[in-house]
Amino acid sequence: MTQPASAKALLPLGLFLTLFLGTGIYFQLSGVDYAFYQLASPVAILPAIILGVILSKQAFEERIDTFVAGVGERNIVTMCMIYLLAGAFSTVAAATGGVDAMVALGLNVIPPQFLLPGLFVIAAVVSTAMGTSMGTLAALAPVALGLGQAAEIDLALLAGVLVSGAMFGDNLSFISDTTIAATRTQGCEMSDKFKANLKIALPAAALTLIWLFTYDTGAVPPKIPEANLWLSLPYFFIIVLAVLGLNVFAVLTLGIILAAAFGMATVGYEWVAFSKDIYEGFTSMQEIFLLSLLIGGLSALIRQQGGLKFLANTVSSMTSRLFKHKQQRAAFGVAALTGLTNFAVANNTVTILLSGEVSKRLAEEGNLAPRQSASLLDIFACVVQGALPYGAQALLMGASFGLSPLDVSIHTGYCFILAGVAIAMIIWRKPLEARTSEAVA
C-alpha cells in the first residue's frame, strides 16, 4: 500500500543525483573531457536502489517485489524496446551512408551567404531524422568547422548554431530517446506530442532564423561531401509515417528494412554487415536501456514510500501561489521540475525519466492534456541541456572546435528563444486543452 507523502522517501533520488552530479563536478574541475560521463548512470543509481530498499517499511520480499514490478512496468518495457529499434535504425542508416546523404542534401540547397541559418536548418533536419543531437553534432562538426574557418565566421557562434539545430531535432524527432521517454511517461501518442511541440518549436525556430539572417557570412562556396542522395529517403519515410500516426514499432521496423534495402541496392551493403549493425545499434542504447529499467524500479520504491506524492505536493503548492489557473500551475510545475532536474543531472533523457511520473501527476491534477505535459517535459529538458556548459553537446563542440564549452553554450540562441516562447505561450495563450477535451477529440 502506498504510504503518505514523505520527504524521506526522496533520499535515494538525492543520493543518485549527488553521486552523478558530484562525480561530474569533480572530473570537470580536474580537467577531464566529458566529465559528467565518467561515472555511468546505471552504476551511479545502484547505491540509490540499495538505500531505497533499506528505507522501505515493507517485508524484505515485498520490497524486492515492488522494485521488480517497477522494472517490468509496461511503459518502461515498451520504452526500452523502442530504444533498441531506434538505435538499430540510426546505426543501419548511418552505415549505409544516410547521414552523409542528409548532410549533402542540405548543403546542396544552401546559398553561401546564408551559411549560419542554413547550418541551423541542416542540423535541425539531420537531428530530427537521426533522433540524436550528439550523433548530429559528430557528423556535422568536421564539415561546419571547415566552412566556418574558410568564411572567417566566429567559431563560438557557429558551434552554438549547430547545437541549437541539433537540439531542435532532438526535441521533435520520433526516434529521439527524449521523445520516447516523454510520450511513454505521459501516456500520449508520439504524433500528438509532435503536433503540440511543433506549435512552440516552429515560432522559436523562425525567430532564430531571423536572428541568424542578420549575420553577413560572405559568399564562400561550401565543399559538399560525396553522397548518394537517395539514401536520405529512409529518414523522410519514417518521419512521414510517424506523423501519419502509424505505430512506432512498425515505423522503426520498416525504417530499418528500407535503410538496409537502399544500402544493398546502391552501395553494396551486405546481409552480414546488416545483422552486425542492428546489434551495434542495440548496444548503443545499452546505457539508457539499463538506466530506464533501474529508474523504473527505483521510482516504484519511492512512489510506494510516498516520495513522489511529496514532490508533487511541493511543486503544486509553490506554483499555486503564483498562478490562479490550474493548467498554468501544472504547466509551470512541469517546466520548473524538468529544468531543475536537468541542471542537476546534465542529461535530458535521464531528466525526463526522473521527473516523468511526477509531471504526469501534476498534469492530471491541473487538467493538462498528456500531449502538453509531454511537450513541456521534452522542451525544457532540451532547453537546459543545450544551454549547459557541462552538457555533452557543449563539451563535444568545445573539443571539436577548440573552444571553451561556456563559449559554446552562451551562443545556443535557439535554446533561450525556445524557453521564452514556451513560457510566453503558457502565460498568454488561452487555457491549454483539458484532458477531457482531448478524450472527446
Side-chain angles (χ1 to χ4, degrees):
M1 182 179 296
T2 302
Q3 300 297 313
S6 169
K8 182 180 178 182
L10 292 174
L11 286 176
L13 179 60
L15 177 60
F16 168 58
L17 297 179
T18 299
L19 288 173
F20 194 66
L21 182 61
T23 303
I25 292 174
Y26 170 78
F27 283 115
Q28 181 73 29
L29 294 176
S30 301
V32 177
D33 291 336
Y34 304 106
F36 285 83
Y37 291 80
Q38 295 301 308
L39 176 62
S41 51
V43 176
I45 201 173
L46 293 179
I49 292 172
I50 294 172
L51 179 59
V53 171
I54 292 173
L55 291 177
S56 176
K57 296 180 180 179
Q58 294 177 300
F60 184 75
E61 290 297 330
E62 292 178 345
R63 304 177 196 186
I64 302 302
D65 288 343
T66 297
F67 174 77
V68 173
V71 170
E73 200 272 328
R74 180 178 180 274
N75 281 331
I76 296 293
V77 174
T78 300
M79 184 164 54
C80 288
M81 294 304 298
I82 295 173
Y83 285 150
L84 294 181
L85 290 175
F89 171 76
S90 180
T91 302
V92 171
T96 57
V99 174
D100 291 338
M102 290 296 294
V103 173
L105 180 64
L107 292 177
N108 267 302
V109 298
I110 296 179
Q113 63 270 30
F114 300 143
L115 188 59
L116 284 177
L119 285 175
F120 173 78
V121 172
I122 288 179
V125 172
V126 172
S127 184
T128 302
M130 291 182 66
T132 165
S133 57
M134 291 296 287
T136 298
L137 294 175
L140 295 180
V143 176
L145 178 60
L147 294 175
Q149 291 173 332
E152 298 183 354
I153 300 174
D154 180 1
L155 293 184
L157 174 62
L158 183 59
V161 168
L162 286 182
V163 173
S164 294
M167 297 314 295
F168 173 92
D170 198 328
N171 177 213
L172 285 173
S173 176
F174 285 94
I175 59 173
S176 168
D177 47 8
T178 61
T179 293
I180 296 167
T183 53
R184 297 313 304 180
T185 58
Q186 302 308 295
C188 70
E189 296 296 327
M190 287 191 178
S191 56
D192 290 335
K193 180 262 186 189
F194 178 82
K195 294 170 185 175
N197 217 152
L198 207 60
K199 294 177 182 178
I200 300 175
L202 277 185
L207 291 173
T208 301
L209 287 173
I210 292 172
W211 164 56
L212 293 176
F213 274 120
T214 63
Y215 288 90
D216 180 11
T217 57
V220 178
K223 182 179 180 181
I224 301 173
E226 294 184 5
N228 186 330
L229 299 184
W230 287 104
L231 293 172
S232 64
L233 286 179
Y235 288 111
F236 295 105
F237 174 79
I238 67 167
I239 292 174
V240 171
L241 287 182
V243 170
L244 292 176
L246 186 65
N247 180 276
V248 65
F249 287 101
V251 170
L252 290 173
T253 300
L254 290 172
I256 293 168
I257 294 172
L258 189 62
F262 271 75
M264 291 174 185
T266 58
V267 296
Y269 191 54
E270 298 180 351
W271 284 101
V272 173
F274 180 38
S275 64
K276 290 181 178 179
D277 288 334
I278 289 177
Y279 185 70
E280 182 181 339
F282 288 171
T283 58
S284 71
M285 293 290 179
Q286 175 178 301
E287 181 173 349
I288 192 62
F289 182 95
L290 292 175
L291 181 62
S292 297
L293 294 176
L294 295 175
I295 282 182
L298 179 61
S299 294
L301 288 171
I302 294 174
R303 180 175 60 252
Q304 188 278 327
Q305 296 169 42
L308 295 181
K309 182 182 294 185
F310 172 83
L311 190 56
N313 291 345
T314 301
V315 174
S316 296
S317 175
M318 293 176 62
T319 54
S320 64
R321 300 172 187 173
L322 300 174
F323 305 100
K324 294 181 179 180
H325 196 282
K326 61 181 180 181
Q327 290 181 334
Q328 285 186 328
R329 292 199 299 267
F332 273 104
V334 171
L337 177 66
T338 304
L340 290 173
T341 304
N342 209 133
F343 272 116
V345 302
N347 184 301
N348 47 347
T349 307
V350 175
T351 292
I352 293 172
L353 290 171
L354 286 173
S355 57
E357 187 168 349
V358 176
S359 294
K360 184 176 182 180
R361 176 175 172 180
L362 291 171
E364 290 173 346
E365 293 177 349
N367 209 24
L368 189 66
R371 62 173 175 266
Q372 297 289 353
S373 59
S375 175
L376 292 172
L377 255 180
D378 207 343
I379 284 173
F380 282 93
C382 286
V383 160
V384 175
Q385 182 68 26
L388 281 180
Y390 51 87
Q393 291 77 10
L395 294 173
L396 173 61
M397 294 308 296
S400 299
F401 282 28
L403 302 168
S404 162
L406 181 60
D407 287 337
V408 176
S409 64
I410 62 178
H411 286 91
T412 55
Y414 170 75
C415 295
F416 299 105
I417 293 172
L418 179 62
V421 171
I423 292 171
M425 286 193 172
I426 293 173
I427 295 174
W428 289 307
R429 279 181 59 186
K430 292 180 180 179
L432 300 172
E433 302 110 294
R435 297 172 60 88
T436 51
S437 66
E438 180 175 345
V440 173

mmCIF file with all atom_site columns, all heavy atoms in Angstrom, residues 153-175:
data_model
loop_
_atom_site.group_PDB
_atom_site.id
_atom_site.type_symbol
_atom_site.label_atom_id
_atom_site.label_alt_id
_atom_site.label_comp_id
_atom_site.label_asym_id
_atom_site.label_entity_id
_atom_site.label_seq_id
_atom_site.pdbx_PDB_ins_code
_atom_site.Cartn_x
_atom_site.Cartn_y
_atom_site.Cartn_z
_atom_site.occupancy
_atom_site.B_iso_or_equiv
_atom_site.pdbx_formal_charge
_atom_site.auth_seq_id
_atom_site.auth_comp_id
_atom_site.auth_asym_id
_atom_site.auth_atom_id
_atom_site.pdbx_PDB_model_num
ATOM 1   N N   . ILE A 1 153 ? 34.063 32.910 -39.923 1.00 0.00 ? 153 ILE A N   1
ATOM 2   C CA  . ILE A 1 153 ? 32.935 33.110 -39.010 1.00 0.00 ? 153 ILE A CA  1
ATOM 3   C C   . ILE A 1 153 ? 33.402 32.844 -37.589 1.00 0.00 ? 153 ILE A C   1
ATOM 4   O O   . ILE A 1 153 ? 34.257 31.977 -37.354 1.00 0.00 ? 153 ILE A O   1
ATOM 5   C CB  . ILE A 1 153 ? 31.780 32.146 -39.373 1.00 0.00 ? 153 ILE A CB  1
ATOM 6   C CG1 . ILE A 1 153 ? 31.298 32.405 -40.801 1.00 0.00 ? 153 ILE A CG1 1
ATOM 7   C CG2 . ILE A 1 153 ? 30.615 32.288 -38.409 1.00 0.00 ? 153 ILE A CG2 1
ATOM 8   C CD1 . ILE A 1 153 ? 30.278 31.408 -41.284 1.00 0.00 ? 153 ILE A CD1 1
ATOM 9   N N   . ASP A 1 154 ? 32.842 33.557 -36.626 1.00 0.00 ? 154 ASP A N   1
ATOM 10  C CA  . ASP A 1 154 ? 33.125 33.321 -35.220 1.00 0.00 ? 154 ASP A CA  1
ATOM 11  C C   . ASP A 1 154 ? 32.785 31.866 -34.901 1.00 0.00 ? 154 ASP A C   1
ATOM 12  O O   . ASP A 1 154 ? 31.626 31.445 -34.989 1.00 0.00 ? 154 ASP A O   1
ATOM 13  C CB  . ASP A 1 154 ? 32.280 34.267 -34.360 1.00 0.00 ? 154 ASP A CB  1
ATOM 14  C CG  . ASP A 1 154 ? 32.519 34.078 -32.874 1.00 0.00 ? 154 ASP A CG  1
ATOM 15  O OD1 . ASP A 1 154 ? 33.344 33.231 -32.488 1.00 0.00 ? 154 ASP A OD1 1
ATOM 16  O OD2 . ASP A 1 154 ? 31.853 34.775 -32.077 1.00 0.00 ? 154 ASP A OD2 1
ATOM 17  N N   . LEU A 1 155 ? 33.796 31.080 -34.525 1.00 0.00 ? 155 LEU A N   1
ATOM 18  C CA  . LEU A 1 155 ? 33.577 29.651 -34.334 1.00 0.00 ? 155 LEU A CA  1
ATOM 19  C C   . LEU A 1 155 ? 32.667 29.362 -33.140 1.00 0.00 ? 155 LEU A C   1
ATOM 20  O O   . LEU A 1 155 ? 31.945 28.364 -33.139 1.00 0.00 ? 155 LEU A O   1
ATOM 21  C CB  . LEU A 1 155 ? 34.923 28.930 -34.155 1.00 0.00 ? 155 LEU A CB  1
ATOM 22  C CG  . LEU A 1 155 ? 35.837 28.901 -35.388 1.00 0.00 ? 155 LEU A CG  1
ATOM 23  C CD1 . LEU A 1 155 ? 37.083 28.068 -35.104 1.00 0.00 ? 155 LEU A CD1 1
ATOM 24  C CD2 . LEU A 1 155 ? 35.092 28.336 -36.598 1.00 0.00 ? 155 LEU A CD2 1
ATOM 25  N N   . ALA A 1 156 ? 32.702 30.209 -32.128 1.00 0.00 ? 156 ALA A N   1
ATOM 26  C CA  . ALA A 1 156 ? 31.807 30.004 -30.985 1.00 0.00 ? 156 ALA A CA  1
ATOM 27  C C   . ALA A 1 156 ? 30.355 30.164 -31.422 1.00 0.00 ? 156 ALA A C   1
ATOM 28  O O   . ALA A 1 156 ? 29.477 29.382 -31.022 1.00 0.00 ? 156 ALA A O   1
ATOM 29  C CB  . ALA A 1 156 ? 32.135 30.996 -29.867 1.00 0.00 ? 156 ALA A CB  1
ATOM 30  N N   . LEU A 1 157 ? 30.100 31.154 -32.260 1.00 0.00 ? 157 LEU A N   1
ATOM 31  C CA  . LEU A 1 157 ? 28.755 31.348 -32.788 1.00 0.00 ? 157 LEU A CA  1
ATOM 32  C C   . LEU A 1 157 ? 28.347 30.162 -33.657 1.00 0.00 ? 157 LEU A C   1
ATOM 33  O O   . LEU A 1 157 ? 27.218 29.657 -33.553 1.00 0.00 ? 157 LEU A O   1
ATOM 34  C CB  . LEU A 1 157 ? 28.691 32.641 -33.600 1.00 0.00 ? 157 LEU A CB  1
ATOM 35  C CG  . LEU A 1 157 ? 27.376 32.922 -34.341 1.00 0.00 ? 157 LEU A CG  1
ATOM 36  C CD1 . LEU A 1 157 ? 26.221 33.050 -33.364 1.00 0.00 ? 157 LEU A CD1 1
ATOM 37  C CD2 . LEU A 1 157 ? 27.510 34.191 -35.196 1.00 0.00 ? 157 LEU A CD2 1
ATOM 38  N N   . LEU A 1 158 ? 29.262 29.710 -34.495 1.00 0.00 ? 158 LEU A N   1
ATOM 39  C CA  . LEU A 1 158 ? 28.974 28.576 -35.374 1.00 0.00 ? 158 LEU A CA  1
ATOM 40  C C   . LEU A 1 158 ? 28.665 27.321 -34.567 1.00 0.00 ? 158 LEU A C   1
ATOM 41  O O   . LEU A 1 158 ? 27.713 26.584 -34.875 1.00 0.00 ? 158 LEU A O   1
ATOM 42  C CB  . LEU A 1 158 ? 30.164 28.334 -36.306 1.00 0.00 ? 158 LEU A CB  1
ATOM 43  C CG  . LEU A 1 158 ? 30.010 27.221 -37.347 1.00 0.00 ? 158 LEU A CG  1
ATOM 44  C CD1 . LEU A 1 158 ? 28.834 27.501 -38.259 1.00 0.00 ? 158 LEU A CD1 1
ATOM 45  C CD2 . LEU A 1 158 ? 31.291 27.076 -38.156 1.00 0.00 ? 158 LEU A CD2 1
ATOM 46  N N   . ALA A 1 159 ? 29.464 27.085 -33.523 1.00 0.00 ? 159 ALA A N   1
ATOM 47  C CA  . ALA A 1 159 ? 29.220 25.915 -32.674 1.00 0.00 ? 159 ALA A CA  1
ATOM 48  C C   . ALA A 1 159 ? 27.865 26.012 -31.983 1.00 0.00 ? 159 ALA A C   1
ATOM 49  O O   . ALA A 1 159 ? 27.124 25.024 -31.888 1.00 0.00 ? 159 ALA A O   1
ATOM 50  C CB  . ALA A 1 159 ? 30.333 25.789 -31.633 1.00 0.00 ? 159 ALA A CB  1
ATOM 51  N N   . GLY A 1 160 ? 27.531 27.218 -31.517 1.00 0.00 ? 160 GLY A N   1
ATOM 52  C CA  . GLY A 1 160 ? 26.232 27.414 -30.877 1.00 0.00 ? 160 GLY A CA  1
ATOM 53  C C   . GLY A 1 160 ? 25.075 27.190 -31.836 1.00 0.00 ? 160 GLY A C   1
ATOM 54  O O   . GLY A 1 160 ? 24.029 26.646 -31.452 1.00 0.00 ? 160 GLY A O   1
ATOM 55  N N   . VAL A 1 161 ? 25.254 27.581 -33.095 1.00 0.00 ? 161 VAL A N   1
ATOM 56  C CA  . VAL A 1 161 ? 24.219 27.360 -34.106 1.00 0.00 ? 161 VAL A CA  1
ATOM 57  C C   . VAL A 1 161 ? 24.004 25.869 -34.336 1.00 0.00 ? 161 VAL A C   1
ATOM 58  O O   . VAL A 1 161 ? 22.859 25.401 -34.443 1.00 0.00 ? 161 VAL A O   1
ATOM 59  C CB  . VAL A 1 161 ? 24.601 28.073 -35.425 1.00 0.00 ? 161 VAL A CB  1
ATOM 60  C CG1 . VAL A 1 161 ? 23.690 27.613 -36.571 1.00 0.00 ? 161 VAL A CG1 1
ATOM 61  C CG2 . VAL A 1 161 ? 24.519 29.579 -35.264 1.00 0.00 ? 161 VAL A CG2 1
ATOM 62  N N   . LEU A 1 162 ? 25.087 25.114 -34.409 1.00 0.00 ? 162 LEU A N   1
ATOM 63  C CA  . LEU A 1 162 ? 24.958 23.671 -34.608 1.00 0.00 ? 162 LEU A CA  1
ATOM 64  C C   . LEU A 1 162 ? 24.252 23.006 -33.430 1.00 0.00 ? 162 LEU A C   1
ATOM 65  O O   . LEU A 1 162 ? 23.378 22.148 -33.619 1.00 0.00 ? 162 LEU A O   1
ATOM 66  C CB  . LEU A 1 162 ? 26.337 23.036 -34.809 1.00 0.00 ? 162 LEU A CB  1
ATOM 67  C CG  . LEU A 1 162 ? 27.018 23.259 -36.145 1.00 0.00 ? 162 LEU A CG  1
ATOM 68  C CD1 . LEU A 1 162 ? 28.344 22.519 -36.186 1.00 0.00 ? 162 LEU A CD1 1
ATOM 69  C CD2 . LEU A 1 162 ? 26.135 22.803 -37.299 1.00 0.00 ? 162 LEU A CD2 1
ATOM 70  N N   . VAL A 1 163 ? 24.635 23.383 -32.214 1.00 0.00 ? 163 VAL A N   1
ATOM 71  C CA  . VAL A 1 163 ? 23.968 22.826 -31.035 1.00 0.00 ? 163 VAL A CA  1
ATOM 72  C C   . VAL A 1 163 ? 22.488 23.201 -31.042 1.00 0.00 ? 163 VAL A C   1
ATOM 73  O O   . VAL A 1 163 ? 21.623 22.373 -30.730 1.00 0.00 ? 163 VAL A O   1
ATOM 74  C CB  . VAL A 1 163 ? 24.640 23.314 -29.737 1.00 0.00 ? 163 VAL A CB  1
ATOM 75  C CG1 . VAL A 1 163 ? 23.841 22.865 -28.513 1.00 0.00 ? 163 VAL A CG1 1
ATOM 76  C CG2 . VAL A 1 163 ? 26.071 22.779 -29.642 1.00 0.00 ? 163 VAL A CG2 1
ATOM 77  N N   . SER A 1 164 ? 22.192 24.431 -31.434 1.00 0.00 ? 164 SER A N   1
ATOM 78  C CA  . SER A 1 164 ? 20.795 24.880 -31.489 1.00 0.00 ? 164 SER A CA  1
ATOM 79  C C   . SER A 1 164 ? 19.980 24.009 -32.432 1.00 0.00 ? 164 SER A C   1
ATOM 80  O O   . SER A 1 164 ? 18.891 23.528 -32.096 1.00 0.00 ? 164 SER A O   1
ATOM 81  C CB  . SER A 1 164 ? 20.729 26.340 -31.935 1.00 0.00 ? 164 SER A CB  1
ATOM 82  O OG  . SER A 1 164 ? 21.306 27.203 -30.972 1.00 0.00 ? 164 SER A OG  1
ATOM 83  N N   . GLY A 1 165 ? 20.498 23.806 -33.640 1.00 0.00 ? 165 GLY A N   1
ATOM 84  C CA  . GLY A 1 165 ? 19.783 22.980 -34.606 1.00 0.00 ? 165 GLY A CA  1
ATOM 85  C C   . GLY A 1 165 ? 19.653 21.543 -34.141 1.00 0.00 ? 165 GLY A C   1
ATOM 86  O O   . GLY A 1 165 ? 18.614 20.904 -34.328 1.00 0.00 ? 165 GLY A O   1
ATOM 87  N N   . ALA A 1 166 ? 20.715 21.030 -33.522 1.00 0.00 ? 166 ALA A N   1
ATOM 88  C CA  . ALA A 1 166 ? 20.693 19.651 -33.033 1.00 0.00 ? 166 ALA A CA  1
ATOM 89  C C   . ALA A 1 166 ? 19.650 19.474 -31.937 1.00 0.00 ? 166 ALA A C   1
ATOM 90  O O   . ALA A 1 166 ? 18.960 18.445 -31.874 1.00 0.00 ? 166 ALA A O   1
ATOM 91  C CB  . ALA A 1 166 ? 22.072 19.249 -32.525 1.00 0.00 ? 166 ALA A CB  1
ATOM 92  N N   . MET A 1 167 ? 19.502 20.473 -31.074 1.00 0.00 ? 167 MET A N   1
ATOM 93  C CA  . MET A 1 167 ? 18.515 20.374 -30.002 1.00 0.00 ? 167 MET A CA  1
ATOM 94  C C   . MET A 1 167 ? 17.094 20.531 -30.535 1.00 0.00 ? 167 MET A C   1
ATOM 95  O O   . MET A 1 167 ? 16.152 19.955 -29.980 1.00 0.00 ? 167 MET A O   1
ATOM 96  C CB  . MET A 1 167 ? 18.788 21.433 -28.927 1.00 0.00 ? 167 MET A CB  1
ATOM 97  C CG  . MET A 1 167 ? 20.126 21.268 -28.212 1.00 0.00 ? 167 MET A CG  1
ATOM 98  S SD  . MET A 1 167 ? 20.511 19.583 -27.674 1.00 0.00 ? 167 MET A SD  1
ATOM 99  C CE  . MET A 1 167 ? 19.243 19.287 -26.454 1.00 0.00 ? 167 MET A CE  1
ATOM 100 N N   . PHE A 1 168 ? 16.925 21.269 -31.632 1.00 0.00 ? 168 PHE A N   1
ATOM 101 C CA  . PHE A 1 168 ? 15.606 21.352 -32.268 1.00 0.00 ? 168 PHE A CA  1
ATOM 102 C C   . PHE A 1 168 ? 15.137 19.961 -32.669 1.00 0.00 ? 168 PHE A C   1
ATOM 103 O O   . PHE A 1 168 ? 14.006 19.551 -32.381 1.00 0.00 ? 168 PHE A O   1
ATOM 104 C CB  . PHE A 1 168 ? 15.682 22.256 -33.499 1.00 0.00 ? 168 PHE A CB  1
ATOM 105 C CG  . PHE A 1 168 ? 14.410 22.281 -34.322 1.00 0.00 ? 168 PHE A CG  1
ATOM 106 C CD1 . PHE A 1 168 ? 13.434 23.234 -34.080 1.00 0.00 ? 168 PHE A CD1 1
ATOM 107 C CD2 . PHE A 1 168 ? 14.195 21.352 -35.342 1.00 0.00 ? 168 PHE A CD2 1
ATOM 108 C CE1 . PHE A 1 168 ? 12.259 23.264 -34.831 1.00 0.00 ? 168 PHE A CE1 1
ATOM 109 C CE2 . PHE A 1 168 ? 13.029 21.375 -36.091 1.00 0.00 ? 168 PHE A CE2 1
ATOM 110 C CZ  . PHE A 1 168 ? 12.061 22.329 -35.835 1.00 0.00 ? 168 PHE A CZ  1
ATOM 111 N N   . GLY A 1 169 ? 16.008 19.219 -33.358 1.00 0.00 ? 169 GLY A N   1
ATOM 112 C CA  . GLY A 1 169 ? 15.629 17.882 -33.805 1.00 0.00 ? 169 GLY A CA  1
ATOM 113 C C   . GLY A 1 169 ? 15.524 16.890 -32.673 1.00 0.00 ? 169 GLY A C   1
ATOM 114 O O   . GLY A 1 169 ? 14.634 16.027 -32.665 1.00 0.00 ? 169 GLY A O   1
ATOM 115 N N   . ASP A 1 170 ? 16.426 16.989 -31.699 1.00 0.00 ? 170 ASP A N   1
ATOM 116 C CA  . ASP A 1 170 ? 16.386 16.089 -30.544 1.00 0.00 ? 170 ASP A CA  1
ATOM 117 C C   . ASP A 1 170 ? 15.054 16.229 -29.817 1.00 0.00 ? 170 ASP A C   1
ATOM 118 O O   . ASP A 1 170 ? 14.488 15.260 -29.303 1.00 0.00 ? 170 ASP A O   1
ATOM 119 C CB  . ASP A 1 170 ? 17.543 16.428 -29.600 1.00 0.00 ? 170 ASP A CB  1
ATOM 120 C CG  . ASP A 1 170 ? 17.854 15.313 -28.625 1.00 0.00 ? 170 ASP A CG  1
ATOM 121 O OD1 . ASP A 1 170 ? 16.915 14.595 -28.233 1.00 0.00 ? 170 ASP A OD1 1
ATOM 122 O OD2 . ASP A 1 170 ? 19.021 15.146 -28.251 1.00 0.00 ? 170 ASP A OD2 1
ATOM 123 N N   . ASN A 1 171 ? 14.545 17.439 -29.772 1.00 0.00 ? 171 ASN A N   1
ATOM 124 C CA  . ASN A 1 171 ? 13.288 17.736 -29.095 1.00 0.00 ? 171 ASN A CA  1
ATOM 125 C C   . ASN A 1 171 ? 12.068 17.204 -29.856 1.00 0.00 ? 171 ASN A C   1
ATOM 126 O O   . ASN A 1 171 ? 11.065 16.827 -29.252 1.00 0.00 ? 171 ASN A O   1
ATOM 127 C CB  . ASN A 1 171 ? 13.187 19.252 -28.914 1.00 0.00 ? 171 ASN A CB  1
ATOM 128 C CG  . ASN A 1 171 ? 11.891 19.705 -28.276 1.00 0.00 ? 171 ASN A CG  1
ATOM 129 O OD1 . ASN A 1 171 ? 11.388 20.773 -28.586 1.00 0.00 ? 171 ASN A OD1 1
ATOM 130 N ND2 . ASN A 1 171 ? 11.329 18.923 -27.388 1.00 0.00 ? 171 ASN A ND2 1
ATOM 131 N N   . LEU A 1 172 ? 12.163 17.130 -31.195 1.00 0.00 ? 172 LEU A N   1
ATOM 132 C CA  . LEU A 1 172 ? 10.999 16.797 -32.013 1.00 0.00 ? 172 LEU A CA  1
ATOM 133 C C   . LEU A 1 172 ? 11.018 15.383 -32.603 1.00 0.00 ? 172 LEU A C   1
ATOM 134 O O   . LEU A 1 172 ? 9.964  14.837 -32.912 1.00 0.00 ? 172 LEU A O   1
ATOM 135 C CB  . LEU A 1 172 ? 10.874 17.792 -33.173 1.00 0.00 ? 172 LEU A CB  1
ATOM 136 C CG  . LEU A 1 172 ? 10.343 19.190 -32.832 1.00 0.00 ? 172 LEU A CG  1
ATOM 137 C CD1 . LEU A 1 172 ? 10.453 20.101 -34.049 1.00 0.00 ? 172 LEU A CD1 1
ATOM 138 C CD2 . LEU A 1 172 ? 8.903  19.123 -32.371 1.00 0.00 ? 172 LEU A CD2 1
ATOM 139 N N   . SER A 1 173 ? 12.194 14.819 -32.787 1.00 0.00 ? 173 SER A N   1
ATOM 140 C CA  . SER A 1 173 ? 12.311 13.564 -33.530 1.00 0.00 ? 173 SER A CA  1
ATOM 141 C C   . SER A 1 173 ? 11.487 12.434 -32.928 1.00 0.00 ? 173 SER A C   1
ATOM 142 O O   . SER A 1 173 ? 11.404 12.268 -31.711 1.00 0.00 ? 173 SER A O   1
ATOM 143 C CB  . SER A 1 173 ? 13.781 13.136 -33.596 1.00 0.00 ? 173 SER A CB  1
ATOM 144 O OG  . SER A 1 173 ? 13.902 11.875 -34.226 1.00 0.00 ? 173 SER A OG  1
ATOM 145 N N   . PHE A 1 174 ? 10.922 11.619 -33.805 1.00 0.00 ? 174 PHE A N   1
ATOM 146 C CA  . PHE A 1 174 ? 10.131 10.472 -33.356 1.00 0.00 ? 174 PHE A CA  1
ATOM 147 C C   . PHE A 1 174 ? 11.009 9.351  -32.807 1.00 0.00 ? 174 PHE A C   1
ATOM 148 O O   . PHE A 1 174 ? 10.515 8.483  -32.088 1.00 0.00 ? 174 PHE A O   1
ATOM 149 C CB  . PHE A 1 174 ? 9.285  9.935  -34.516 1.00 0.00 ? 174 PHE A CB  1
ATOM 150 C CG  . PHE A 1 174 ? 8.106  10.792 -34.846 1.00 0.00 ? 174 PHE A CG  1
ATOM 151 C CD1 . PHE A 1 174 ? 8.179  11.757 -35.833 1.00 0.00 ? 174 PHE A CD1 1
ATOM 152 C CD2 . PHE A 1 174 ? 6.918  10.650 -34.161 1.00 0.00 ? 174 PHE A CD2 1
ATOM 153 C CE1 . PHE A 1 174 ? 7.091  12.558 -36.137 1.00 0.00 ? 174 PHE A CE1 1
ATOM 154 C CE2 . PHE A 1 174 ? 5.818  11.452 -34.449 1.00 0.00 ? 174 PHE A CE2 1
ATOM 155 C CZ  . PHE A 1 174 ? 5.908  12.405 -35.442 1.00 0.00 ? 174 PHE A CZ  1
ATOM 156 N N   . ILE A 1 175 ? 12.283 9.341  -33.183 1.00 0.00 ? 175 ILE A N   1
ATOM 157 C CA  . ILE A 1 175 ? 13.157 8.276  -32.690 1.00 0.00 ? 175 ILE A CA  1
ATOM 158 C C   . ILE A 1 175 ? 14.149 8.790  -31.646 1.00 0.00 ? 175 ILE A C   1
ATOM 159 O O   . ILE A 1 175 ? 15.071 8.075  -31.264 1.00 0.00 ? 175 ILE A O   1
ATOM 160 C CB  . ILE A 1 175 ? 13.920 7.598  -33.851 1.00 0.00 ? 175 ILE A CB  1
ATOM 161 C CG1 . ILE A 1 175 ? 14.770 8.611  -34.632 1.00 0.00 ? 175 ILE A CG1 1
ATOM 162 C CG2 . ILE A 1 175 ? 12.953 6.877  -34.770 1.00 0.00 ? 175 ILE A CG2 1
ATOM 163 C CD1 . ILE A 1 175 ? 15.659 7.983  -35.678 1.00 0.00 ? 175 ILE A CD1 1
#
